[in-house]
Amino acid sequence: MNTTQIQELEQKYKSYILKLFLKKTFFACIFLLVSFCLYLFFNEYEEQKQNLNLALKEKKELNKRLEQARIKEQKTQILQEKKQVKNASKEKKIQITSYNVNSTNLKKKFYDKKSVDIAISLSRFYMHKKDYEKSIFWSLKANSLDKNSKESWLLFAEAKKALGKEEEAKKVLKTYTDFYGFEGVNFDF
C-alpha cells in the first residue's frame, strides 16, 4: 500500500468519523428539540388542566353561592308574603255586631244626612221584610245619590224580580251594564 492510498484511506476515515459525528449530533439535536417541544406541550397541558380545574371549582362555588342567594331571596319573599298576609289579616278583621234595625231611626238618619249607605241599608231592610215596593223606593233613592252604586241597581232588580217583573229587572241590569259595565251580573238571578 502506498502512502497516497494510506492518506486517502485516512482522509475517508476522517470524513467517515466526521459524518458519523455530524449524524449523531443531528439526531441528538432532533432528540433534544423533540424533548423540549414535548416538555413545553405537557407543561402547557398541565397548566390548562389546572386552570380548567380551578375554573370548575370556582364555577361550583359560584353556583353554590348563587343557589344560596336564591334560597335566601325565596325565604325573604316568603317572609314578606307572610308579613303581608299577617298585616292584611290584621286589617281585615271583621267585626260582627248585631243590633235591631229600626226603620224609623234609619229614615231619620237618611233625611238628616243623605247617605247612599243608609238608603241601601233601608232597601236591604225592606227586601228582608219582603216589602219590595219600599225596597225599590230606597234603592232608587240610593241610585239618585250615586248612579254607579252597583248594590242599588242589584237591589232594585232583585225587588222587581220578586214582584214578578223579571223582564223589567233584566232590562235594568242590561242598562246598567251597557252604561257602567260590571262583570259578573247574573241576568238569571
Side-chain angles (χ1 to χ4, degrees), residues 28-44:
C29 286
I30 295 287
F31 177 75
L32 287 174
L33 185 63
V34 168
S35 298
F36 183 70
C37 288
L38 285 174
Y39 171 77
L40 289 178
F41 174 76
F42 282 115
N43 262 356
E44 185 67 27

Side-chain angles (χ1 to χ4, degrees), residues 167-182:
E167 287 304 314
E168 201 173 324
K170 286 181 183 179
K171 285 179 185 177
V172 167
L173 289 177
K174 176 90 172 96
T175 302
Y176 180 82
T177 56
D178 287 346
F179 284 101
Y180 301 104
F182 64 99

Side-chain angles (χ1 to χ4, degrees), residues 22-23 34 37 44 52 73 77 83 92 103 108 113 116-117 141-142 144 157 163 170 178-179 189:
L22 288 176
K23 219 184 230 185
V34 168
C37 288
E44 185 67 27
L52 182 62
E73 182 182 349
Q77 187 178 7
K83 190 181 271 187
K92 290 185 179 181
S103 64
K108 186 177 184 244
K113 166 179 111 172
V116 174
D117 292 333
K141 284 278 189 188
S144 68
L163 288 173
K170 286 181 183 179
D178 287 346
F179 284 101
F189 294 93

Side-chain angles (χ1 to χ4, degrees), residues 49-63:
K49 189 176 175 182
Q50 286 176 352
N51 287 342
L52 182 62
N53 286 337
L54 183 63
L56 287 174
K57 185 178 177 183
E58 286 179 8
K59 182 181 177 185
K60 285 180 184 178
E61 184 65 30
L62 188 61
N63 283 339

Side-chain angles (χ1 to χ4, degrees), residues 144-155:
S144 68
L145 294 173
D146 181 8
K147 299 223 182 291
N148 292 326
S149 171
K150 177 180 175 180
E151 196 166 1
S152 68
W153 285 83
L154 290 174
L155 284 167

Side-chain angles (χ1 to χ4, degrees), residues 2-9:
N2 62 21
T3 38
T4 48
Q5 284 181 336
I6 292 177
Q7 284 180 345
E8 273 180 36
L9 279 174

